[in-house]
Amino acid sequence: MQPYQPNQSQQPSWQYVGEAKQSSQSAQSTSQNESYQWSASEFIAYQKNAGWYLLLILVICVISGLVFIITRDPISTFSIIFAGILFMIFAARKPRVLEYQIDKNGISIGQKLYSYSNLRSFSIINEGAMRSISLYPLQRFMPSISIYFEPQEEPNIIDALANYLPQEDKKQDVIDRLMHRIRF
């Protein structure tokens, strides 16, 4: 698959405010800043029924039981149980709808601004029926930043990002594929 290459002769001189699923906003224009704005969920929320949580509790019990049998260390066992409970709490969390903006200063996600000088590139990630954009930071141990959007907004977002960052062909990493598979 060839990376998306924007037409260099087309410089966007507009601003777009996308629609969230439950509320819509009207487009606004700025006089000096060329920017693109939209609203979207901060992550994909999968429906988890009681069976999902019961299976997770069973897995936590099995892993903590094996750790206790092997090590006879109650602290390690408690740590596994505590990590499992935290995992369950994060799994139950509902996503917020965030405001995204791409402009000459960087990428704003909610109240946080990510400067282009701290970002290396971006790529488009297929997540089953959905697609997202991953931003890769220059810092070695900083995780990638995922951006979600409505499918019809994808070309506009890619055009706006391509004005500031190069696009790379990358796939979802192993941890993200695992989280998608267990519907986290």
Side-chain angles (χ1 to χ4, degrees):
M1 179 189 231
Q2 292 288 333
Y4 180 80
Q5 296 295 327
N7 186 348
Q8 295 298 331
S9 65
Q10 295 176 345
Q11 292 295 326
S13 60
W14 44 265
Q15 174 183 1
Y16 176 82
V17 177
E19 294 180 340
K21 290 192 183 233
Q22 295 178 347
S23 66
S24 65
Q25 298 178 349
S26 62
Q28 303 171 0
S29 63
T30 57
S31 59
Q32 295 178 347
N33 288 345
E34 296 175 358
S35 66
Y36 186 80
Q37 293 181 340
W38 73 99
S39 298
S41 177
E42 67 180 319
F43 57 86
I44 298 172
Y46 296 103
Q47 293 295 330
K48 298 170 190 75
N49 58 18
W52 189 92
Y53 289 103
L54 287 174
L55 182 61
L56 180 60
I57 290 170
L58 179 66
V59 168
I60 293 168
C61 290
V62 167
I63 292 173
S64 60
L66 287 173
V67 166
F68 184 74
I69 289 170
I70 292 170
T71 64
R72 299 281 184 210
D73 183 15
I75 294 174
S76 298
T77 305
F78 176 74
S79 297
I80 298 292
I81 293 170
F82 183 72
I85 291 169
L86 286 178
F87 189 81
M88 242 187 321
I89 290 169
F90 281 111
R93 196 183 87 149
K94 301 293 180 205
R96 299 173 296 171
V97 174
L98 297 175
E99 297 294 322
Y100 296 85
Q101 181 175 349
I102 299 170
D103 61 19
K104 67 179 183 176
N105 298 320
I107 301 164
S108 298
I109 301 174
Q111 299 297 317
K112 183 152 176 129
L113 175 68
Y114 296 94
S115 173
Y116 297 119
S117 63
N118 295 326
L119 298 171
R120 180 181 69 228
S121 63
F122 75 96
S123 66
I124 301 163
I125 305 294
N126 288 321
E127 296 186 30
M130 297 286 299
R131 289 167 53 108
S132 66
I133 293 176
S134 284
L135 302 171
Y136 301 104
L138 288 172
Q139 295 174 347
R140 185 178 193 114
F141 295 110
M142 185 176 170
S144 63
I145 302 159
S146 294
I147 297 177
Y148 295 93
F149 49 84
E150 296 291 326
Q152 67 271 16
E153 295 176 350
E154 181 177 350
N156 297 330
I157 294 169
I158 292 170
D159 281 340
L161 269 176
N163 288 327
Y164 303 105
L165 291 172
Q167 181 180 353
E168 292 182 10
D169 280 337
K170 289 195 175 183
K171 295 184 180 183
Q172 226 175 5
D173 63 4
V174 175
I175 298 297
D176 288 335
R177 283 194 305 258
L178 174 66
M179 291 299 141
H180 178 74
R181 183 166 221 116
I182 65 171
R183 304 192 61 75
F184 180 72

